[in-house]
Amino acid sequence: MESKCTNQGCDLDHGYLCGTMEALNVPMADTPVVTFWEGEIVDTKNYTFFTGKWGATVTGLGIMSRVEDDIKHWTKFPSFPPLLSQVEADGGKSLDLSNYPYVFMRWKEQYFVNVGTDCGLTIAGFYYVCFSCSDGSINGFYYDPNSSPFQKLELKSTNDGRSGFSFSTYELQ
Amino acid sequence: MFGVTVYAVDRSDPYSTQGRSQPGLSYPQTHHLPPTTMPASVASSNPSRPENLIGQLNSTHTSYEAKLKALRDLKNQIIGNRTKKLAFLKLGAVPSVVAILSSSAAAQDGGGDNLEFHESVLVQSAAAIGSFACGLDSGVKAVLDAGAFPILLKLIFHPNEKVADAGARSLKMIYQSKLAPKYDFHQEKDMEFLLSLLNSENENVSSLGASIITHSCQTAIEQQALSEAGVIKRLVALLGGSLIQRDASLESLAAVVKDNPEVASRLVLPENGRELNAVIELMRDKYPRTRLLACTCLINIRNTYVSYLQDSGIKKELILILLELLNDPGQVGDEAPFVLSNLIAEKEGMQKLAFDASIVEKLCENLQKGSFQAKRLQGIFLALADLCSKLECCRDRVLHLKVLNFVTEAFAHDSAEVRAAACIFLKNVSRSVKNLSAGHFMNETVAVPLVQLLYDSCSFVQIAALRAISNVVVDFMAHKSLFVQCGGVKQLVQLSRSMESAVRVNAVWALKNLTFLVDNRCKEEILLELSTSTLTSLLSDPEAPVQEQAFALVRNLVDGTLNSIDYVFGDDGLLLHAIGRQLRNTSKAEVLVQCMYTLSNVASGKEHHKEAVMNQLFPQTGNDKETILVKFLQSSNSQLRTAAVWTIVNLTFPSSPGACGRVTALWNAGIVSQLKCMVNDPCLDVKLQSRTALKQLMMFGDAST
């Protein structure tokens, strides 16, 4: 299934970002299904690689998972292994990721923007996400204990038919 | 700092036969005479009418007793009655009263008879003058113009305590106004006089001294002078005095230490701030006004001397006390939200503490209670704005409590301050990508009345509305057409032509935000209103911040679909040439960043787009000794370096047929050697994209030989 993802806002001080995802060709829907998602950036200041605390504690995004699940999912990204030993030790709290050319995040879809909840899609789980700073590509794995595991998300930055990269800007007052 | 303005209580006159007047607020009272019994022709003979009273005061034929009675009558009529005060003022009552004051004062000096009579006159006339000055600037002006000030000053050391009291109280009323004469703390004899006031045992005289300081102490040098003269010690001692002394001293201390860490340290450091324990105790005083003033004083000290009051217990207590003071139905309740703002503004930690104490709910409860004095409404919106300035949880709570409904009402309020405060609140609540995405603001309830405020007669309201609109138009769900339909774009464009730069910059900022990821239809509508020529002149606006917003607007216009790039090519490339010109004319980094991103966006287009960008960066004519592109790559501003690198990435994009020629030009301009220095740039974006650019440049081989 095809998806289009737009990042619309970020607040790096609080390790927060958000945007919308548009799922195209959804079997039970006549239009693309748009969801609004929020993300936690694993910057080791606001959030670590561990989703919840020890045990199944709920984070601000209403996300639950166990430490073992966290490690299992992060390890599926090729850019993660160099960090593994530190993460196993303390969740990666002492890592400085500010110069790492990959950004790790968790994305949680919060609500459907343009359809009802009966569109055939679920937003109960969340994504483990890895963004590559060099080429803008995004990879992710969906986590939901009630869905089949390791469903993949693979996104490449699009150029809207352009030969290059173009950026819009806004600034909140 | 939000200073607390004290409106003096109009004390009931011991000589008055009318009983206690209403403290604090002045409001018109019903006329004393029953309306039906006085036919117009007889009315003029009523001795209590203002004209008649004044006539009696002025007349040389009136007896002493009659004059005293007239004076008393006048004073009783005006106390607590703003309408009467204005009426008497208009008829010239003040010079008449001052004349009587003056003649009795002179008669006293000369010794002689009728001492008791003259003292009564002094008391009544001083009280009347004080009442004219109370909370009424036109009254203060009249009193000062009539020369009352020096006479009153002489009275405060009068042996008769009632006279001294009346004089001191009257001067205090004057000193509550900005129009009062500024006291000179630099003259030694004036400082000594001030100290003599502070040292007086008469509570009205000592609190007058404190009021003078509150009014006139404005500069750091004055604060220093007062501190060195030992004023602080005396003020601290007054904290243990009567109610009047305590209240006056609290305000005064705040004025002496405000924004002056050195002076504040003299209070805070000795014995770990022992002297301030008195202020902390007063926070728990039984009188609400005293509690409020104590909170204000502590907050001012804390804002000045940052390490003071780290104890979270006291911080929480401050919040709870202010929470409770919000319930006060009078002036204290009106001022409490301003004091709260002072406590939490710019401090995320304090905002969180306040949120946890349910201050948002309390403020909303207040809003629900119904119509208030404009001042309180303004205060509540400003406090809510401060709460929502940084914390998402506050914004969520406020939306959940449906505060936006009150905002719409407030937009139509008579008071400009309330309208502006509601806009500031909306701006802060909408500073939330999550809530903007959910479409809470771009709807008829909020957006339509907000656009109406763009036509407001007060420019500070317009500016506040523009700033709120800047956020509200960042609506991701494509509701922007509503904004266009209700005339928003038209008015934004109109305001972008304002003479006031603050209006221009915020209007263009709103337009910029409106064009973020917007569809071409909306872009067309904006350009139709704005016109290329207006946009071009905004690009060379005399104010750099306006230029910056205008370039960012163009940047957004050329993002999106490929054919959007053509906007800068219209009218013989008017906009494109304007960009090229500014690249060379401006030294402001923020403007250059937007220029470069605009060019970068254009360079992501087709061949002729990329060539046009090359022509702007490397003009055939002109003698640029140094390539501007190299200069930007070397900038200390990381955003500018980033924008420059992205431009090169786009110009050398591998799939484009004409890339080779551009690559050669870039090699020759020394771009490659510059980029090689940047592969380990401290800014991650610059580092990564210079590597990408180099890779692309190297693909065409080393053309420098």
Side-chain angles (χ1 to χ4, degrees), chain B residues 234-243 245-247 249 278-279 282:
Chain B
R234 184 60 197 150
L235 288 173
V236 169
L238 286 175
L239 291 176
S242 71
L243 174 61
Q245 287 173 321
R246 292 202 297 266
D247 282 2
S249 169
V279 181
L282 287 174

Side-chain angles (χ1 to χ4, degrees), chain B residues 251-279:
Chain B
E251 275 199 276
S252 200
L253 272 170
V256 176
V257 304
K258 184 183 149 195
D259 296 334
N260 191 325
E262 205 198 309
V263 171
S265 68
R266 292 189 208 162
L267 257 180
V268 172
L269 290 179
E271 297 170 71
N272 280 323
R274 186 182 62 89
E275 290 186 324
L276 288 171
N277 289 343
V279 181

Side-chain angles (χ1 to χ4, degrees), chain A residues 6-11 13-14 16-20 34-38 97-103 110-111 113-114 131-136 159-173, chain B residues 348 427 430-434 436-438 467 470-471 474 476-477 506 509 512-513 516-517 552 555-556 558-562 564-565 594 597 600-601 603-605 610 646 649-650 653 682 684 687-689 692:
Chain A
T6 314
N7 167 224
Q8 282 152 350
C10 67
D11 174 0
D13 286 340
H14 292 101
Y16 172 88
L17 77 166
C18 66
T20 51
V34 182
T35 53
F36 172 77
W37 56 265
E38 291 182 296
L97 295 173
S98 55
N99 269 312
Y100 206 59
Y102 297 89
V103 179
Q110 296 292 15
Y111 53 80
V113 172
N114 63 340
F131 167 78
S132 160
C133 304
S134 48
D135 68 6
N159 301 337
D160 264 334
R162 294 179 178 231
S163 309
F165 302 94
S166 178
F167 304 101
S168 244
T169 180
Y170 76 88
E171 197 182 347
L172 293 177
Q173 294 224 35
Chain B
E348 195 172 321
K427 166 181 68 97
S430 60
R431 189 187 283 164
S432 157
V433 179
K434 185 178 85 173
L436 284 166
S437 299
R467 302 187 72 193
S470 293
N471 289 357
V474 181
F476 305 114
M477 297 299 115
N506 284 299
W509 191 321
K512 168 192 84 181
N513 279 359
F516 174 73
L517 295 183
R555 168 184 171 178
N556 286 355
V558 298
D559 182 43
T561 59
L562 192 53
S564 300
I565 299 179
Q594 299 307 327
Y597 269 117
S600 173
N601 286 0
S604 69
K610 294 176 199 276
W646 275 116
V649 166
N650 287 343
F653 206 70
L684 188 61
K687 180 163 109 175
L688 294 174
Q689 298 316 323
T692 305

Side-chain angles (χ1 to χ4, degrees), chain B residues 367-368 370-382 384 402-426 445-446 448-453 456 460-461 464-465:
Chain B
L367 280 177
Q368 276 152 10
S371 56
F372 279 122
Q373 284 267 355
K375 192 165 169 69
R376 185 181 302 222
L377 205 48
Q378 178 198 8
I380 292 176
F381 277 120
L382 290 177
L384 282 169
K402 309 243 186 287
V403 179
L404 288 185
N405 297 338
F406 297 108
V407 167
T408 314
E409 253 180 69
F411 283 163
H413 201 279
D414 287 336
S415 154
E417 278 76 14
V418 170
R419 299 197 296 276
C423 288
I424 293 170
F425 165 67
L426 182 63
T445 323
V446 174
V448 174
L450 186 54
V451 168
Q452 286 314 301
L453 287 180
D456 200 281
F460 71 89
V461 176

Side-chain angles (χ1 to χ4, degrees), chain A residues 27-163:
Chain A
M28 276 165 70
D30 352 305
T31 64
V33 173
V34 182
T35 53
F36 172 77
W37 56 265
E38 291 182 296
E40 294 176 346
I41 302 174
V42 179
D43 52 15
T44 67
K45 287 181 307 181
N46 293 289
Y47 300 103
T48 67
F49 284 97
F50 295 152
T51 303
K53 300 200 177 79
W54 299 105
T57 317
V58 177
T59 68
L61 297 188
I63 295 171
M64 291 168 66
S65 76
R66 298 167 309 159
V67 165
E68 298 82 15
D69 291 317
D70 287 334
I71 301 273
K72 239 197 295 192
H73 283 83
W74 293 124
T75 313
K76 296 193 83 60
F77 298 113
S79 50
F80 181 76
L83 311 173
L84 177 62
S85 54
Q86 199 61 46
V87 172
E88 277 177 324
D90 63 2
K93 269 198 295 265
S94 36
L95 281 169
D96 175 12
L97 295 173
S98 55
N99 269 312
Y100 206 59
Y102 297 89
V103 179
F104 298 98
M105 298 171 271
R106 282 176 290 270
W107 288 3
K108 172 88 180 94
E109 290 164 290
Q110 296 292 15
Y111 53 80
F112 291 101
V113 172
N114 63 340
V115 297
T117 47
D118 54 355
C119 60
L121 292 182
T122 173
I123 57 173
F126 69 94
Y127 292 90
Y128 291 89
V129 176
C130 177
F131 167 78
S132 160
C133 304
S134 48
D135 68 6
S137 63
I138 290 176
N139 287 285
F141 295 99
Y142 187 62
Y143 175 81
D144 178 359
N146 299 323
S147 298
S148 38
F150 304 122
Q151 286 182 66
K152 274 178 87 172
L153 179 70
E154 281 174 357
L155 301 168
K156 289 196 177 34
S157 64
T158 68
N159 301 337
D160 264 334
R162 294 179 178 231
S163 309

